[in-house]
Amino acid sequence: MRAAIVIAALLGVAAIASAQQDYTVTVTQQGNFTVPAGNWSFQSTDGQPWSGGSQVKCMVEGQALKQIKAGTVQYQFWQEYEEHFISQSSQPYFQCDNKGCDPTTPVSLFLSDPFSVPTNYQLKFDVTLPAGSADKPKSFHMVMWGSDQDHSPYDFLLELHYNFTSSA
């Protein structure tokens, strides 16, 4: 049992059980951002179990290992046995205009010191969970990744796996 916990920690896999929702997070890639095991939370805004249409606050913390000047967090939702993703969206890291982005005015990426490397970060944004197809299992995963001004490699890539306990 202890070996399984150590292996899961090394792979960045964690299962979370809370009063709100059971979910599993798999960190697939750590690029310019570290994503230590357990440094994330996904909580419904109303405190209820998740269902289609639920608003969920997403938060990931770690260290940025390079200076981030611009970027976007992107995400796609997939439902088990669906051939294609069922929903997608993105949010910028910072407020931007035609002259560029300002790391001191965060939208989703909050840096402890935008001009220092490394620096601690907190990535925060809300998502609306899709209901999915009624004739398919209510088993989903959200793929989430960050891309900065250089586009490659991704800053991080993780997957959130969850189920609806009742249909929405």
Side-chain angles (χ1 to χ4, degrees):
M1 178 67 173
R2 184 170 186 231
I5 292 170
V6 170
I7 291 169
L10 290 173
L11 293 174
V13 178
I16 308 296
S18 71
Q20 290 186 3
Q21 186 70 36
D22 293 341
Y23 58 82
T24 303
V25 175
T26 304
V27 178
T28 307
Q29 175 184 331
Q30 296 189 65
N32 300 313
F33 293 179
T34 65
V35 185
N39 277 21
W40 50 71
S41 70
F42 301 91
Q43 300 293 322
S44 67
T45 57
D46 63 4
Q48 298 299 311
W50 296 356
S51 63
S54 290
Q55 292 286 322
V56 173
K57 290 188 171 297
C58 304
M59 190 276 303
V60 179
E61 294 179 318
Q63 266 197 336
L65 303 177
K66 71 180 264 192
Q67 188 173 15
I68 306 298
K69 299 176 183 176
T72 305
V73 60
Q74 302 173 69
Y75 43 93
Q76 294 179 333
F77 290 94
W78 297 77
Q79 184 175 12
E80 188 175 358
Y81 301 115
E82 280 289 344
E83 191 173 331
H84 304 285
F85 62 86
I86 59 173
S87 178
Q88 69 177 350
S89 192
S90 63
Q91 292 192 20
Y93 284 167
F94 313 115
Q95 289 183 7
C96 302
D97 61 21
N98 62 342
K99 295 178 179 148
C101 299
D102 182 358
T104 64
T105 57
V107 174
S108 62
L109 181 63
F110 299 79
L111 299 171
S112 294
D113 183 349
F115 306 106
S116 177
V117 176
T119 189
N120 293 332
Y121 76 86
Q122 189 175 64
L123 183 68
K124 298 190 297 187
F125 59 97
D126 294 350
V127 298
T128 301
L129 301 180
S133 298
D135 61 337
K136 303 275 194 276
K138 295 298 182 184
S139 179
F140 300 87
H141 67 273
M142 178 177 78
V143 179
M144 176 188 343
W145 67 98
S147 180
D148 61 45
Q149 68 272 6
D150 296 325
H151 307 289
S152 181
Y154 288 144
D155 295 327
F156 69 94
L157 175 63
L158 65 81
E159 293 184 38
L160 169 71
H161 303 267
Y162 63 94
N163 296 296
F164 293 156
T165 54
S166 61
S167 54

